[in-house]
Amino acid sequence: MDEVVHKLKNKSTEVKNICCIGAGYVGGPTMAVIAKHCPEIEVNVVDINENRINSWNEINLNNLPIFEPGLDLIIDNVRGKNLHFSTDVKAAVMQADLIFIAVNTPTKLKGIGAGQASDLRWIESCAREISEYARGHTIVVEKSTLPVRTAEVIENILNSAETNSKREEISFDVLSNPEFLAEGTAIKDLENPDRVLIGGDNKNAMIELSKIYRAWVPEEKILFTNIWSSELAKLTSNAFLAQRISSINSITAICEVTSADVREVSRAIGKDTRIGSKFLDSGPGLGGSCFKKDILNLVYIAEYFGLSEVANFWESVVKINSWHQQRISEIVVKKLFGSVSNKKLVILGFAFKANTNDTRESAAITICKNLLNEGANLLIYDPKVTASQIENDLKTNQTKSAENYKSSLNEKLGSWEYSKSINNLEIFNNAYAVLVLTEWEEFRKLNWMTISKKMTPPAWVFDSRSIINTEEVKDAGLRLWRIGDGLEN
Ligand SMILES: NC(=O)c1ccc[n+]([C@@H]2O[C@H](COP(=O)([O-])OP(=O)(O)OC[C@H]3O[C@@H](n4cnc5c(N)ncnc54)[C@H](O)[C@@H]3O)[C@@H](O)[C@H]2O)c1
């Protein structure tokens, strides 16, 4: 038996059929791009979430579960040809030569490591499903972001299937192939990645995986490392990016109490080729499903190995982010004469960044909750985020559910409403302030002269993204607070 498995493990498998478990922000776009460039490979994307799969199969491409510029076009071209979305995990796993695991790995909410470590229950259940249904030799690829040495967990589960199975032909190789796409530019990033990282210890399997990417990615961009370096590189990459955002956001606070302007500071430091100009835009605080969770994961690993100084260093990136979001909420209240109770405030943007409908860890959630707790009445608009998503995000408030907000004025908690559009500018009627929280293009073009006439004077514009034309806002007679702008004080 050992010999059979050994022989099969070293056999190179020509990949003709791919399965991706997890049809989320990573699984969907990544597999669409693979299907586009590898028409000879069948790609099956499976998920336990039936609604999500139904949305991926929607004829109307506006109803895809994920909004990413360019994604709808690719889906239109490959769906039903060599790209299929289904809930039939068993069938897809059985047929696959190579399986990507792209399921969610959120921060653990309870038990050992709660609040820091990744919750690996979805990874474990995938590994068990693969061990049960796989046939022949299968390459299993970690696409999800995972703590260092998770491949070992997956290997253990798969190996026990190998040794226990009566199906003597079954064998596995486990590789790490973390995804570096950024939401909002996912298709661009997948089409032209800075690098593709493949970690593993079986060269044949690594080559088979690299062949898929070589259909469109230049060979020199495909890096081979050992599996643990690959897992750690992904966490470290996100930690460095998040650190840059927290760094520049911390400088906004200094700018606001001096006469410096954070945009000028960013431009000046970004010209230094050792620093570079990317990721130096200040904003309302880092968000998205990954940065905070991946840093906390790094913190957990460092603590686990007794490296408390390392843990403290990285944890401070998350702590200053929370402080920064709190700081912005407080500024709004302070500028509105110390109270927003019963005041209508217009919230422009709820997604954590532009060009995505993802709200996970969005700064808008914290800022809106803070303002609701201060009694504000919010009118929220985002071009891609639905009302039910906002409801979901705001009801996790420790004190009140979203439903309760709507009828809780007498308890001094605010309320919120959703607006489908800002086209007729009615949303601004009688508002005391407008908060720009996401950098959607359409917010750059607003007619402030008309808006100003609809608002309750002295009305404020709070621009946390530096996208508003300051002259137009001032000429319209509005008061303006812009992030990191010392000159406003
Ligand atoms: N979102 C990003 O920008 C991004 C970028 C790089 C890496 N990552 C990482 O990729 C992973 C996935 O992230 P995401 O944003 O796509 O998550 P997501 O929550 O959007 O999607 C995960 C999907 O997996 C499905 N799932 C969970 N368990 C399953 C199972 N046993 N069988 C079938 N389906 C199952 C869920 O139903 C869900 O639809 C995470 O580890 C994340 O850290 C995310």
Side-chain angles (χ1 to χ4, degrees):
M1 168 70 184
D2 275 350
E3 264 179 38
V4 177
V5 171
H6 180 74
K7 205 171 73 193
L8 283 166
K9 269 193 170 173
N10 288 325
K11 193 178 83 175
S12 82
T13 325
E14 199 187 332
V15 175
K16 292 213 160 70
N17 189 302
I18 288 176
C19 160
C20 175
I21 309 182
Y25 284 85
V26 166
T30 309
M31 293 307 119
V33 171
I34 289 180
K36 172 185 160 189
H37 289 285
C38 305
E40 70 291 355
I41 298 179
E42 280 295 305
V43 183
N44 292 300
V45 187
V46 289
D47 203 295
I48 43 175
N49 182 336
E50 202 177 337
N51 287 340
R52 211 167 215 188
I53 290 297
N54 289 343
S55 305
W56 278 114
N57 285 324
E58 271 271 351
I59 294 169
N60 181 349
L61 294 168
N62 288 327
N63 295 336
L64 292 178
I66 286 162
F67 172 75
E68 276 294 337
L71 176 63
D72 49 354
L73 209 69
I74 301 179
I75 294 289
D76 200 26
N77 284 330
V78 290
R79 193 178 58 185
K81 291 180 185 154
N82 65 328
L83 178 70
H84 313 276
F85 292 95
S86 138
T87 51
D88 194 346
V89 178
K90 181 177 173 183
V93 168
M94 279 176 83
Q95 294 165 31
D97 306 310
L98 185 146
I99 299 173
F100 285 102
I101 301 181
V103 299
N104 35 323
T105 51
T107 305
K108 256 182 116 172
L109 296 177
K110 49 185 178 185
I112 299 167
Q116 289 183 337
S118 284
D119 192 339
L120 296 182
R121 76 177 99 156
W122 293 275
I123 293 288
E124 187 183 332
S125 74
C126 281
R128 291 190 189 282
E129 279 166 338
I130 295 169
S131 74
E132 195 177 340
Y133 305 134
R135 296 283 180 273
H137 184 70
T138 311
I139 299 171
V140 177
V141 184
E142 299 175 342
K143 190 46 115 177
S144 297
T145 305
L146 295 166
V148 190
R149 304 206 79 94
T150 307
E152 218 162 44
V153 176
I154 297 174
E155 264 167 0
N156 277 339
I157 295 171
L158 299 179
N159 284 341
S160 66
E162 279 183 356
T163 44
N164 294 340
S165 177
K166 297 260 180 328
R167 296 171 281 149
E168 293 190 352
E169 76 284 7
I170 187 175
S171 65
F172 301 100
D173 277 307
V174 178
L175 302 177
S176 160
N177 172 221
E179 185 46 62
F180 292 98
L181 67 80
E183 284 177 30
T185 53
I187 299 303
K188 210 168 115 236
D189 298 342
L190 288 163
E191 291 279 10
N192 187 19
D194 288 339
R195 75 318 211 171
V196 168
L197 183 55
I198 298 176
D201 56 14
N202 182 321
K203 205 64 188 276
N204 286 339
M206 293 163 82
I207 289 170
E208 285 310 318
L209 176 57
S210 74
K211 277 187 197 161
I212 297 171
Y213 288 106
R214 276 171 58 191
W216 77 98
V217 179
E219 200 172 346
E220 63 275 13
K221 284 190 173 182
I222 302 178
L223 309 183
F224 282 5
T225 65
N226 79 36
I227 202 157
W228 325 122
S229 304
S230 172
E231 288 176 337
L232 184 58
K234 173 63 193 177
L235 290 184
T236 309
S237 172
N238 272 357
F240 269 58
L241 292 171
Q243 176 269 119
R244 264 176 94 95
I245 299 177
S246 273
S247 295
I248 197 68
N249 281 343
S250 76
I251 299 301
T252 63
I254 300 184
C255 290
E256 286 162 28
V257 290
T258 59
S259 289
D261 180 328
V262 76
R263 287 145 293 270
E264 292 179 355
V265 175
S266 290
R267 200 167 75 232
I269 64 171
K271 290 282 179 203
D272 187 328
T273 50
R274 293 167 303 176
I275 297 173
S277 60
K278 291 185 179 162
F279 260 68
L280 283 181
D281 288 334
S282 51
L286 60 89
S289 66
C290 296
F291 285 163
K292 185 174 167 192
K293 127 180 126 55
D294 292 349
I295 288 196
L296 291 174
N297 210 330
L298 203 58
V299 169
Y300 181 71
I301 293 168
E303 268 172 7
Y304 180 83
F305 288 106
L307 303 167
S308 54
E309 286 78 6
V310 178
N312 292 343
F313 172 73
W314 286 110
E315 196 172 19
S316 69
V317 174
V318 174
K319 280 187 177 159
I320 200 147
N321 191 53
S322 305
W323 173 81
H324 181 68
Q325 292 174 2
Q326 190 66 35
R327 187 177 88 76
I328 292 176
S329 319
E330 283 168 14
I331 286 171
V332 174
V333 176
K334 213 164 116 194
K335 298 277 188 202
L336 293 174
F337 307 111
S339 171
V340 289
S341 185
N342 275 334
K343 289 181 180 165
K344 174 176 164 182
L345 311 182
V346 174
I347 305 293
L348 295 183
F350 204 80
F352 84 93
K353 67 193 280 201
N355 294 321
T356 177
N357 59 346
D358 197 351
T359 61
R360 289 176 290 183
E361 297 294 338
S362 176
I365 300 175
T366 314
I367 293 170
C368 287
K369 280 183 178 179
N370 287 342
L371 295 172
L372 288 167
N373 278 329
E374 292 284 335
N377 301 332
L378 307 180
L379 200 52
I380 305 175
Y381 168 73
D382 187 290
K384 292 291 171 193
V385 179
T386 59
S388 61
Q389 183 59 51
I390 295 173
E391 169 128 15
N392 213 27
D393 290 329
L394 293 181
K395 81 175 167 207
T396 52
N397 188 290
Q398 298 115 345
T399 47
K400 289 280 163 189
S401 73
E403 268 313 306
N404 285 342
Y405 278 128
K406 289 175 183 159
S407 57
S408 60
L409 288 180
N410 51 356
E411 294 171 46
K412 291 206 166 38
L413 283 177
S415 64
W416 67 271
E417 268 179 65
Y418 177 75
S419 178
K420 274 196 175 140
S421 153
I422 47 170
N423 287 348
N424 61 13
L425 303 182
E426 266 175 26
I427 186 177
F428 299 100
N429 286 351
N430 307 319
Y432 287 75
V434 178
L435 278 71
V436 180
L437 299 184
T438 311
E439 72 282 24
W440 287 104
E441 199 53 36
E442 65 186 276
F443 302 154
R444 293 177 195 269
K445 301 169 191 152
L446 290 169
N447 183 335
W448 291 105
M449 202 54 91
T450 314
I451 291 170
S452 170
K453 291 185 187 126
K454 294 173 178 286
M455 294 177 72
T456 304
W460 278 86
V461 175
F462 295 92
D463 180 10
S464 74
R465 295 286 188 170
S466 307
I467 59 166
I468 296 303
N469 184 321
T470 53
E471 293 311 312
E472 279 179 22
V473 169
K474 285 178 191 164
D475 289 350
L478 293 160
R479 299 188 179 185
L480 174 71
W481 173 88
R482 191 166 59 144
I483 192 141
D485 205 338
L487 298 175
E488 292 303 316
N489 290 289

